[in-house]
Amino acid sequence: MRTKKTVTTVTTAAALAAVAALTLTACGSGDDSAKPIADVSTQAKTQAATVLDQPFKKPNLVLKDTHGKDYDLREETKGKPTLIYFGYTNCPDVCPLTMSNIAIARKSLSKADQEKLQVVFVTTDPERDTSAELAKWLPSAGDPSFVGLTGDFPTIQAGARQLGIGIDAPKKEKDGTTVSMHGTQVIAFSPKTDAGYVLYGEDAGSDDYAKDLPKIIKGENP
């Protein structure tokens, strides 16, 4: 795991370019041939966090949580430090690793800070990722405190686009495997402004999150 990192502050245009340059990953259900459709830029490979001059607005999303109840993202996370990630439970690599890294980092926080931090996992494969499925997967892949959300795909896709995250509907291949294309960014939202001002790529490790989370929880730049 990395012990040093570079944090870059970017302008609006550069921020959008950085988002677009991040990997749109093909996660297959047991398909080892699935590969990213775009290379990660050199910048994204060498830094853990990108602090945005012009942050993202929190998506206007109302989905179902792991109890099958309506979850209004903006209302439920208002004034709380929040990490949002779009992925799916059948992903063989990036999604569970990302959740695990965040979970490990969360355990390094004080009890008070652990209770403040909100981690929201939004499925990109809602047909298979029901509320019940997310309820089973999240505690093992990440942490029981993590929020899992599902709903109709167009709504989820539109919410992801508000954060510059591209996702495609899951596609079944001829060999029977299902492949989902999705961006792998984690966006951190400030408890002070409710704006997404820090972006992480898939190379961010648990050490990176552990170092940054105390500041993110306070609404400060990592």
Side-chain angles (χ1 to χ4, degrees):
M1 296 181 181
R2 295 186 300 281
T3 57
K4 295 182 179 179
K5 61 183 177 64
T6 301
V7 178
T8 300
T9 301
V10 294
T11 61
T12 304
L16 294 176
V19 171
L22 289 171
T23 308
L24 188 65
T25 298
C27 292
S29 301
D31 181 6
D32 292 335
S33 65
K35 297 178 181 179
I37 63 171
D39 291 333
V40 179
S41 68
T42 302
Q43 181 184 27
K45 287 180 180 179
T46 58
Q47 66 185 27
T50 300
V51 179
L52 308 177
D53 276 352
Q54 296 296 322
F56 291 106
K57 291 183 179 180
K58 194 171 290 181
N60 184 17
L61 273 176
V62 178
L63 298 169
K64 298 292 184 181
D65 64 14
T66 53
H67 301 290
K69 297 181 179 179
D70 285 346
Y71 186 98
D72 187 320
L73 180 65
R74 286 183 175 176
E75 288 300 316
E76 295 289 345
T77 62
K78 187 176 182 180
K80 301 175 182 179
T82 304
L83 302 183
I84 295 178
Y85 179 79
F86 289 79
Y88 73 121
T89 66
N90 284 282
C91 175
D93 38 44
V94 179
C95 300
L97 178 60
T98 299
M99 290 298 98
S100 176
N101 283 335
I102 295 173
I104 291 170
R106 179 182 179 275
K107 291 178 181 178
S108 70
L109 299 171
S110 67
K111 289 294 183 181
D113 280 352
Q114 286 185 38
E115 292 178 1
K116 292 176 184 176
L117 181 66
Q118 307 293 300
V119 180
V120 179
F121 179 92
V122 184
T123 181
T124 59
D125 184 12
E127 184 174 338
R128 290 186 293 175
D129 286 347
T130 61
S131 294
E133 190 63 31
L134 288 170
K136 290 190 297 182
W137 184 80
L138 275 174
S140 58
D143 187 274
S145 70
F146 290 2
V147 175
L149 299 180
T150 188
D152 65 273
F153 183 81
T155 298
I156 293 170
Q157 186 179 51
R161 283 175 176 168
Q162 292 176 49
L163 297 176
I165 298 173
I167 63 174
D168 291 340
K171 179 182 178 182
K172 181 166 286 189
E173 301 295 298
K174 293 181 180 180
D175 61 1
T177 60
T178 299
V179 176
S180 176
M181 310 295 285
H182 65 89
T184 56
Q185 302 95 305
V186 173
I187 310 292
F189 290 81
S190 169
K192 294 180 179 179
T193 64
D194 282 321
Y197 71 113
V198 182
L199 181 151
Y200 292 92
E202 66 180 77
D203 288 342
S206 58
D207 287 350
D208 297 312
Y209 288 113
K211 288 180 179 180
D212 292 354
L213 284 178
K215 290 188 176 180
I216 288 173
I217 288 170
K218 295 177 182 177
E220 300 174 354
N221 288 348

